[in-house]
């Protein structure tokens, strides 16, 4: 039982990172109807900024400053690289986001270097007892922070004037624009929010273990999350992210019987197997909006 509880907490911690990344994908998709492949770059940017800022200031202040700078980068990318492409095929815009990701990560990697950069976080590999079980503090911090951020994000979309404008634009851009909503502003804010969430995911991904160039591969696990939860469902992204994190952790801990057949790293492909299963049975996701075509 102790091992089970520790495994679930670890899964929820990792799943929280997947959820933060997936939320960024969903926010951009809801506003522009395009999947942004630039999220890994924003994730690495947030982590790198904190690793440098923490040398001059408190860790928590460094995180706030880093996230604001990452948000500005996201808004700048939208304004410079994406805004001129409005009206172009979605495939073209998606390829541009892939190019943006490569360019930004190339620059960011030069600041990381070949060695692992420490984040200077207050948790490290420390553990704390939960229900009599030792669990990593960083996993608890990730989970709690994600829940707070998700609650704030939902409140923003539900009750703020800007959030209502973003919801209106995601439903029908032409109608929203006719009602005085600035669609361009919605696009910029969407990219800023997505970049900030990815940057926060990068910070928590690097706490305890440090930051290295290959960590961007973790962001790819957000793709199965948004497929499972639904491309246009914020709630689905959170639920699917936590679920995939827990399933991945459980398979990693208790899937030893599968190791002789599939190898010891079989748990790494579990999210993608779930993605394939959902695509076959429910291609719009568990919580996504089902597309209806009239003939």
């Amino acid at each position: 039982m102790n091992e089970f509880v520790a495994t679930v907490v670890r899964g929820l911690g990792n799943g929280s990172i997947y959820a933060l990344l997936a939320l960024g994908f969903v926010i951009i998709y809801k506003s522009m109807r395009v999947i942004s492949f630039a999220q890994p770059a924003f994730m690495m940017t947030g982590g790198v900024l904190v690793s440098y800022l923490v040398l001059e200031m408190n860790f928590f202040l460094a995180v706030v400053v880093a996230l604001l700078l990452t948000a500005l980068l996201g808004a700048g990318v939208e304004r410079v690289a994406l805004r001129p492409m409005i009206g172009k095929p979605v495939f073209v815009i998606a390829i541009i986001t892939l190019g943006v990701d490569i360019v930004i990560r190339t620059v960011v990697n030069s600041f990381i270097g070949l060695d692992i950069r420490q984040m200077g976080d207050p948790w490290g590999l420390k553990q704390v007892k939960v229900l009599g079980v030792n669990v990593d503090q960083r996993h608890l911090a990730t989970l709690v922070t994600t829940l707070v951020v998700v609650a704030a994000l939902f409140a923003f979309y539900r009750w703020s004037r800007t959030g209502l404008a973003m919801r209106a634009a995601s439903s029908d851009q032409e109608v929203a624009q006719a009602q005085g909503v600035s669609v361009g502003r919605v696009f910029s804010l969407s990219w800023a929010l997505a970049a900030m969430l990815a940057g926060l995911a990068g910070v928590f991904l690097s706490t305890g273990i440090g930051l290295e160039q290959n960590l961007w591969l973790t962001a790819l696990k957000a793709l199965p999350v948004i497929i499972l939860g639904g491309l246009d469902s914020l709630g689905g992204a959170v639920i699917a992210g936590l679920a995939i994190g827990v399933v991945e952790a459980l398979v990693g801990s208790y899937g030893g019987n599968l190791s002789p057949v599939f190898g010891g790293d079989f748990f790494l492909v579990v999210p993608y197997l779930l993605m394939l299963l959902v695509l076959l049975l429910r291609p719009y996701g568990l919580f996504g909006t089902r597309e209806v075509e009239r003939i």
Side-chain angles (χ1 to χ4, degrees), residues 91-102:
F91 175 77
V92 174
I93 300 177
I95 292 300
I96 289 177
T97 65
L98 182 60
V100 168
D101 173 72
I102 294 174

Side-chain angles (χ1 to χ4, degrees), residues 229-270:
L231 279 171
D232 59 351
S233 175
L234 294 173
V238 178
I239 295 173
L242 296 176
I244 286 181
V246 171
V247 171
E248 184 183 48
L250 290 175
V251 172
S253 295
Y254 298 100
N257 294 332
L258 299 174
S259 296
V261 180
F262 297 102
D265 294 332
F266 175 70
F267 69 96
L268 295 175
V269 304
V270 168

Side-chain angles (χ1 to χ4, degrees), residues 141-224:
T142 305
L143 177 60
V144 172
T145 303
T146 298
L147 293 177
V148 171
V149 169
V150 167
L153 186 63
F154 275 82
F156 168 76
Y157 270 99
R158 179 65 179 84
W159 288 295
S160 73
R161 186 180 183 87
T162 303
L164 291 174
M166 294 180 70
R167 288 168 56 194
S170 66
S171 299
D172 194 316
Q173 293 180 7
E174 293 183 358
V175 173
Q177 198 164 16
Q179 297 297 320
V181 175
S182 173
V183 176
R185 182 186 175 193
V186 168
F187 289 167
S188 293
L189 186 56
S190 298
W191 275 80
L193 285 174
M196 184 180 294
L197 291 169
L200 183 60
V203 172
F204 281 114
L205 180 64
S206 307
T207 55
I209 61 175
L211 182 68
E212 59 177 346
Q213 294 185 11
N214 291 331
L215 279 183
W216 71 273
L217 293 171
T218 302
L220 297 181
K221 293 184 180 179
L223 295 177

Side-chain angles (χ1 to χ4, degrees), residues 21 36 39 46 54 97 128 159 163 214:
L21 290 164
S36 168
Q39 290 300 95
V54 77
T97 65
V128 63
W159 288 295
N214 291 331

